[in-house]
């Protein structure tokens, strides 16, 4: 071995390499791979597992209970840190590897970085087939890890040690690139992990990946400014890219100067504080009345860092003005060109600053400002009504739970949710007080995300109160990471709402002719339906058995006290509350396309199809 090389196993080399990678944006440096999550099995215990022991001083290790949950924790960690720092996840072969797929899809859909390191078969095929190895009769190089290809932004299988050099560099390039980032997968055959190689020493040198802030093209900028100046009723749709770019102040400056109102997607909520005069709250199917009213009459929609999901566009029915045009500011051309838009392909902060300069002296009509200000005030009264407690001794509704939490949290608290009926209620009603307070994973809307995500956020923001809001359906998907929170001594707060079933899908089932079939947690009745008594399941006891402190709240008054106690707690703490199932949230202000059976014999489905046909007639293609 020459002085210019260092002999290490492939797994050891990978860990050492990852420990030396950094991002830098605006002169501030961040550790790119802040730590590695892992569950060890025969696909990684002797390779990556040994390497993590060998270099525990430079690569923190976190033990998880479920591989999917480990990815969720890593993704939430990256989101909290504006994608400038990420985590890795290592698994065995077989079920450990395939459990990564859902988490990887979530990461890539949401444009969030995570590095996946699943074990794989022997590259030499010396032991073939292995325990847990999938054999394919005509593709001997195929493994279950190939299920990660379509959900990864970069994928490689390291079949020789020296192949790691180019692949590792490509992997971290994608992780650090705001336009390309998502899940990155390096499959690691077991024998290659343990194989030694003489590595170039410069492979382990500190390497800084500068996160670019590309400026808009001057021609595109001029066209964008012209479009804004010509618009009578412009509306900004703020997406998650505003947060990723740390562009909140640039957005506020533009809005203060021009008076253009802002509506937000689930990922973009908090781009402006809720009490800013131009902040109109959520948009789309779960949006506020004032946002959706303006969206229907907007003649220019300015998308900033949004990918325009069907919830945002109300499945193509929301932006109804006959002459509506779109101007999309996005760091990826793929998203910028959606809806036949004029484009500004650039960093969100850089682009907003440039657009503000190009619009110097321009402001929307005073009557337009007065109109949306009045709509904002009307909606605030709706929020107050939904949050109002009334009888302190009554069983709380779900919206009253949110009102009680709203009264307890501070500006820096982080509230996490992903699925069920809570995302709709939160998007309409939550008063976001800071850019990072509202943490909704609604790109993939993955049940089970919230508890591991709270762990990842708490790791990224120690000392910050972090709340995971879950219903009983979501809780039962992924409660096991409570043990991880206890083990890591992370004082996450869990608000567990019991309503005995899938409330959100129950409502959707009723609306679309499914008659709430299979959506309640109840005993099966003699007629085969699930219409019996609620199941005798004690989720609070379950959380306590996994190591959490549990506070049971039966009334609005008890809930207030329990939330305050949980916020002050220094251990993982659960507030368990059974809610009044009567819906109290404002109804949807816009449509969402869920196709209904075109023919059916049951009356509920026939009527649902009639409603569907009436709504779908309003959909349009924006070209």
């Amino acid at each position: 071995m020459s002085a210019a090389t260092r002999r290490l196993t492939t797994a050891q080399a990978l860990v050492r390499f990852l420990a030396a990678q950094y991002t830098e944006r605006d002169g501030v440096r961040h550790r790119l791979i802040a730590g590695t999550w892992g569950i060890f099995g025969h696909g990684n215990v002797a390779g990556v597992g040994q390497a993590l022991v060998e270099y525990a001083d430079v690569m923190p290790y976190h033990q998880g209970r479920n591989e999917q949950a480990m990815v969720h924790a890593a993704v939430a960690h990256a989101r909290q840190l504006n994608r400038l720092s990420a985590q890795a996840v290592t698994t065995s072969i077989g079920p450990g590897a395939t459990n990564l797929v859902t988490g990887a899809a979530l990461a890539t859909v949401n444009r969030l970085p995570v590095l996946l390191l699943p074990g794989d078969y022997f590259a030499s095929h010396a032991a073939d087939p292995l325990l847990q190895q999938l054999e394919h009769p005509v593709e001997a190089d195929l493994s279950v890890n190939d299920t990660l290809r379509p959900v990864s932004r970069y994928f490689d299988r390291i079949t020789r040690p020296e192949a790691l050099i180019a692949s590792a560099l490509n992997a971290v390039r994608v992780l650090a690139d705001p336009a390309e980032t998502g899940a990155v997968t390096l499959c690691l055959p077991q024998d290659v992990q343990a194989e030694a190689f003489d590595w170039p020493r410069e492979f382990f040198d500190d390497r800084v990946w500068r996160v670019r802030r590309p400026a808009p093209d001057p021609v595109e900028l001029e066209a964008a400014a012209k479009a804004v100046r010509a618009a009578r009723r412009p509306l900004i749709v703020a997406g998650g890219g505003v947060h990723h770019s740390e562009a909140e102040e640039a957005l506020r400056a533009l809005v203060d100067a021009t008076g253009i109102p802002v509506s937000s997607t689930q990922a973009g909520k908090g781009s402006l504080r809720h009490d800013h005069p131009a902040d109109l709250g959520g948009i789309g199917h779960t949006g506020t009345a004032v946002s959706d009213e303006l969206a229907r009459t907007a003649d220019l929609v300015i998308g900033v860092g949004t990918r325009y999901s069907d919830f945002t566009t109300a499945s193509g029915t929301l932006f109804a003005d006959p002459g509506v045009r779109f101007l999309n500011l996005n760091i990826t051309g793929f998203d910028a060109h959606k809806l036949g838009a004029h484009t500004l392909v650039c960093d969100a902060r850089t682009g907003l600053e440039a657009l503000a300069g190009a619009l110097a002296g321009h402001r929307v009509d005073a009557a337009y400002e007065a109109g949306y200000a009045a709509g904002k005030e009307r909606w605030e009264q709706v929020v107050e009504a939904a949050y109002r407690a009334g009888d302190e001794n009554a069983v709380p509704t779900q919206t009253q739970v949110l009102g009680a939490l709203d009264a307890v949290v501070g500006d820096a608290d982080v509230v996490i949710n992903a699925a069920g009926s809570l995302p709709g209620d939160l998007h309409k009603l939550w008063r976001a007080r800071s850019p990072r307070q509202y943490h909704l994973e609604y790109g993939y809307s993955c049940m089970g995300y919230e508890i591991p995500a709270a762990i990842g956020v708490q790791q990224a923001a120690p000392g910050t109160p972090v709340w995971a809001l879950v219903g009983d359906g979501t809780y039962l998907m992924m409660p096991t990471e409570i043990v991880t929170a206890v083990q890591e001594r992370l004082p996450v707060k869990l608000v567990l709402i019991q309503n005995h079933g899938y409330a959100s899908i129950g409502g959707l089932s009723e609306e679309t002719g499914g008659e709430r079939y299979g959506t309640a947690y109840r005993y099966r009745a003699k007629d085969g339906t699930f219409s019996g008594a609620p199941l005798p399941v004690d989720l609070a006891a379950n959380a306590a058995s996994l190591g959490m402190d549990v506070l049971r709240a039966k009334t609005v008054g008890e809930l207030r006290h329990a939330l305050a106690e949980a916020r002050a707690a220094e251990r993982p703490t659960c507030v368990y509350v059974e809610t009044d199932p009567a819906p109290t949230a404002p109804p949807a202000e816009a449509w969402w396309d869920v196709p209904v059976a075109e023919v059916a014999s049951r009356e509920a489905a026939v009527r649902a199809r009639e409603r569907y046909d009436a709504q779908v007639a309003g959909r349009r293609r924006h070209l």
Side-chain angles (χ1 to χ4, degrees):
M1 181 176 64
S2 73
T5 61
R6 183 172 183 181
R7 191 164 183 81
L8 301 173
T9 69
T10 303
Q12 291 166 355
L14 177 60
V15 171
R16 288 293 305 182
F17 169 82
L18 293 175
Q21 306 305 302
Y22 297 86
T23 62
E24 183 177 286
R25 188 169 70 182
D26 304 329
V28 180
R29 188 168 295 188
H30 305 264
R31 175 86 175 260
L32 176 57
I33 303 298
T36 298
W37 288 91
I39 297 175
F40 296 121
H42 75 92
N44 64 343
V45 65
V48 175
Q50 190 282 324
L52 289 170
V53 174
E54 189 89 11
Y55 297 116
D57 58 329
V58 295
M59 179 58 69
Y61 164 70
H62 309 291
Q63 184 184 69
R65 270 76 205 165
N66 177 282
E67 291 85 359
Q68 177 183 320
M70 294 192 298
V71 184
H72 291 339
V75 166
H77 179 278
R79 174 172 169 171
Q80 181 68 20
L81 296 175
N82 299 318
R83 308 192 298 190
L84 296 171
S85 181
Q87 293 177 318
V89 180
T90 179
T91 73
S92 64
I93 71 167
T98 51
N99 279 352
L100 295 172
V101 175
T102 297
L106 182 149
T108 297
V109 164
N110 287 284
R111 280 61 161 174
L112 294 168
V114 63
L115 176 61
L116 309 179
L117 305 173
D120 214 324
Y121 56 66
F122 281 39
S124 66
H125 292 277
D128 194 22
L130 301 172
L131 173 66
Q132 300 178 321
Q133 181 180 343
L134 173 72
E135 294 181 275
H136 194 285
V138 296
E139 295 182 85
D141 62 342
L142 192 74
S143 82
V144 296
N145 289 341
D146 288 275
T147 60
L148 288 160
R149 287 182 184 271
V151 293
S152 296
R153 294 289 288 165
Y154 180 81
F155 179 99
D156 197 8
R157 178 174 284 113
I158 310 302
T159 56
R160 290 291 309 144
E162 60 269 30
L164 178 66
I165 297 174
S167 190
L169 289 167
N170 271 320
V172 296
R173 174 187 60 80
V174 173
L175 289 169
D177 189 324
E180 292 192 41
T181 196
V184 168
T185 301
L186 297 181
C187 305
L188 302 173
Q190 294 180 65
D191 51 347
V192 177
Q193 288 182 50
E195 188 174 347
F197 182 73
D198 294 333
W199 303 90
R201 285 189 176 269
E202 57 265 33
F203 185 57
F204 308 113
D205 289 345
D206 287 358
R207 188 180 299 267
V208 178
W209 301 82
R210 288 182 172 80
V211 180
R212 298 180 294 275
R213 289 193 179 277
D217 177 82
V219 175
E220 286 193 336
L221 179 61
E222 182 180 358
K226 182 178 179 180
V228 175
R229 288 182 182 276
R232 296 172 297 102
R233 298 177 61 82
L235 174 67
I236 292 173
V237 175
V242 175
H243 295 311
H244 299 328
S245 178
E246 298 175 282
E248 297 89 359
E249 285 301 309
L251 176 63
R252 184 187 58 77
L254 173 67
V255 169
D256 287 347
T258 63
I260 301 173
V262 176
S263 298
S264 56
T265 69
Q266 288 279 17
K269 195 172 173 75
S271 295
L272 293 180
R273 267 186 65 102
H274 73 93
D275 52 4
H276 189 285
D279 180 67
L280 306 184
I283 190 171
H285 178 64
T286 53
T288 68
V290 59
S291 278
D292 288 351
E293 286 168 7
L294 258 67
R296 291 186 180 96
T297 59
D299 57 356
L300 180 68
V301 178
I302 306 167
V304 183
T306 178
R307 62 190 189 92
Y308 288 111
S309 77
D310 61 340
F311 258 58
T312 299
T313 67
S315 299
T317 64
L318 185 58
F319 304 112
D321 186 274
V324 66
R325 299 300 297 167
F326 295 83
L327 167 63
N328 291 338
L329 192 165
N330 205 293
I331 200 165
T332 71
F334 177 81
D335 289 316
H337 282 85
K338 288 177 177 176
L339 303 177
H342 297 294
T343 61
L344 276 178
V345 181
C346 58
D347 170 74
R349 192 171 85 183
T350 303
L352 287 169
E353 290 171 345
L355 186 59
L359 292 172
H362 174 73
R363 193 168 185 89
V364 299
D365 187 80
Y368 183 47
E369 288 191 75
Y372 71 67
K376 178 180 173 68
E377 177 58 32
R378 289 193 298 271
W379 186 258
E380 186 60 28
Q381 294 170 10
V382 173
V383 175
E384 289 291 345
Y387 279 3
R388 193 172 299 126
D391 184 358
E392 289 285 303
N393 295 314
V395 174
T397 64
Q398 182 162 287
T399 56
Q400 287 171 341
V401 172
L402 299 184
L405 184 61
D406 175 77
V408 168
V409 300
D411 286 9
D413 290 30
V414 179
V415 175
I416 300 172
N417 186 242
S421 58
L422 279 165
D425 292 359
L426 286 161
H427 200 206
K428 292 187 189 83
L429 303 174
W430 188 258
R431 298 159 167 164
R433 307 175 195 177
S434 63
R436 281 281 158 242
Q437 183 175 80
Y438 188 87
H439 184 123
L440 259 285
E441 188 290 296
Y442 216 57
Y444 211 50
S445 187
C446 187
M447 296 178 73
Y449 172 82
E450 295 91 343
I451 295 174
I455 292 170
V457 170
Q458 193 76 82
Q459 288 177 326
T464 298
V466 179
W467 303 83
L469 275 58
V470 299
D472 50 336
T474 292
Y475 176 84
L476 287 168
M477 290 280 182
M478 198 80 67
T480 51
E481 297 314 305
I482 287 174
V483 178
T484 303
V486 172
Q487 181 180 41
E488 297 271 337
R489 302 181 185 274
L490 298 172
V492 297
K493 294 92 173 61
L494 171 63
V495 180
L496 175 52
I497 300 173
Q498 171 66 280
N499 54 23
H500 301 288
Y502 302 120
S504 174
I505 293 302
L508 182 62
S509 173
E510 186 172 30
E511 176 65 23
T512 57
E515 303 178 49
R516 292 185 178 268
Y517 185 75
T519 63
Y521 289 160
R522 295 178 179 272
Y523 282 108
R524 186 186 291 275
K526 291 182 179 179
D527 64 359
T529 64
F530 296 92
S531 58
L535 298 177
V537 176
D538 190 341
L539 299 184
N542 177 259
S545 75
L546 296 176
M548 266 196 150
D549 292 343
V550 176
L551 306 171
R552 294 176 184 256
K554 296 182 179 180
T555 67
V556 171
E558 290 178 1
L559 175 64
R560 293 186 189 281
H561 290 298
L563 291 171
E565 184 176 341
R567 188 172 189 276
E570 297 181 356
R571 292 195 73 255
T573 302
C574 170
V575 175
Y576 173 84
V577 58
E578 188 162 353
T579 56
D580 182 336
T584 54
E589 298 289 340
W591 186 56
W592 182 41
D593 188 350
V594 178
V596 175
E598 192 168 2
V599 295
S601 60
R602 297 180 69 86
E603 184 69 14
V606 172
R607 295 290 169 259
R609 182 67 194 197
E610 291 173 354
R611 294 192 297 271
Y612 177 83
D613 288 338
Q615 292 285 356
V616 78
R619 182 161 54 203
R620 61 186 291 197
R621 300 284 185 181
H622 297 286
L623 299 171

